[in-house]
Amino acid sequence: MRRTVIAGNWKMNMTPSQTAAFIKELAPCVAGKDACDIVLCVPYVDIATAVEAAKGTNIKIGAENVHFEEKGAYTGEVSCAMLKEIGAEYVIIGHSERRQYFGETDTTVNLRTKAALAAGFKAIVCLGEVKDERLAGITDEIVSMQTKLDLAGISAEDLKNVIIAYEPVWAIGTGLTATPEQADETCGVIRKTIADLYGDEAAEAITIQYGGSMNDKNAAELLAKVNVDGGLIGGASLKVDAFTAIVDAANA
Ligand code: 13P
């Protein structure tokens, strides 16, 4: 069966010292809760500290983005080799905030995903519809198209290291959550698209997370759905008690 993955996306929050203190507090709360993988994706400058703090625990560390070129004149960007050397194991790619504020497209998401997989990372590829697309009734078409474009040229073997995060943009940071039924249905559309591209076995095996105001109150209901294999959590991943409660829901 596919793995449930509970991952925090810290976005632009936490300094290195806050990172160390957070993980020290979190580690005993989630120790032994191994029915899910537990990941914290943190700002670049916090990664080395986070990796050190998470040593000997069941918490894995990831980055929030990565560039697709190996090196060169790309001011402000960070390469796969840099992230590897400091011990990151996961990379979020194509988050809607990257698409919305920093000009990322399905093309750059695809390039970054390919680079991350070639470098041996687990890639958490984010996609999801905006509010107008849901209201227009074209959510299924949008997520299906994004799945195809974001994964173009990725082999079935490399797909084993891909996690999809379905994040309806209207639910991110808004306190609005997709209903468990909406989350299940749209994750199901993504799974069907994967089946069309890679076959039923690959579709059954891939982890598809839900993201968008998942918290300690709604996690159990969302995670109970057959097509929801975990969460990508923003705000609630910044609080030890809330994040622990979500891990508990995945272990119930
Ligand atoms: P919130 O949980 O704060 O809505 O953020 C979700 C998200 O964007 C995770 O990547």
Side-chain angles (χ1 to χ4, degrees):
M1 261 310 273
R2 50 187 179 256
R3 259 328 250 174
T4 297
V5 180
I6 301 296
N9 172 12
W10 278 4
K11 309 192 178 184
M12 197 173 74
N13 293 289
M14 300 272 200
T15 65
S17 62
Q18 290 168 336
T19 298
F22 183 96
I23 294 176
K24 194 170 170 209
E25 194 184 334
L26 177 69
C29 301
V30 299
K33 296 177 181 172
D34 293 332
C36 62
D37 291 337
I38 302 169
V39 184
L40 290 177
C41 295
V42 305
Y44 291 133
V45 295
D46 296 334
I47 291 173
T49 306
V51 167
E52 184 59 33
K55 262 194 194 136
T57 76
N58 56 344
I59 302 166
K60 303 264 195 306
I61 303 303
E64 297 176 13
N65 198 8
V66 70
H67 195 53
F68 44 85
E69 295 292 348
E70 274 178 34
K71 60 179 172 175
Y74 303 100
T75 301
E77 291 291 330
V78 166
S79 74
C80 289
M82 295 170 190
L83 293 179
K84 272 263 134 176
E85 192 168 315
I86 56 170
E89 294 180 65
Y90 290 73
V91 179
I92 294 174
I93 296 170
H95 191 276
S96 68
E97 286 148 20
R98 299 295 320 169
R99 297 177 189 249
Q100 208 175 336
Y101 305 134
F102 302 101
E104 300 247 3
T105 63
D106 288 309
T107 304
T108 60
V109 172
N110 177 247
L111 288 170
R112 288 177 202 268
T113 304
K114 283 182 183 156
L117 293 170
F121 290 103
K122 288 195 185 297
I124 301 176
V125 179
C126 304
L127 52 91
E129 81 286 3
V130 300
K131 189 174 170 197
D132 284 350
E133 292 164 343
R134 180 155 286 268
L135 292 176
I138 57 170
T139 297
D140 294 3
E141 287 89 337
I142 293 294
V143 298
S144 174
M145 181 188 70
Q146 289 176 329
T147 303
K148 288 177 189 164
L149 293 172
D150 296 350
L151 299 181
I154 288 166
S155 69
E157 194 51 34
D158 278 345
L159 188 75
K160 292 176 182 163
N161 288 314
V162 173
I163 294 165
I164 306 274
Y166 165 57
E167 301 207 306
V169 178
W170 49 269
I172 294 176
T174 56
L176 293 173
T177 317
T179 64
E181 291 68 30
Q182 285 173 326
D184 189 45
E185 191 186 330
T186 309
C187 288
V189 170
I190 296 167
R191 201 176 302 285
K192 167 78 171 58
T193 308
I194 300 278
D196 293 344
L197 293 170
Y198 293 94
D200 289 343
E201 206 176 308
E204 277 307 308
I206 194 165
T207 294
I208 304 179
Q209 301 173 311
Y210 168 78
S213 300
M214 186 185 272
N215 58 40
D216 47 334
K217 310 276 185 307
N218 60 25
E221 261 193 318
L222 288 159
L223 295 172
K225 291 295 176 189
V226 65
N227 280 306
V228 177
D229 312 317
L232 185 58
I233 299 127
S237 75
L238 296 166
K239 297 174 204 138
V240 168
D241 51 355
F243 192 67
T244 301
I246 297 170
V247 170
D248 285 342
N251 278 265

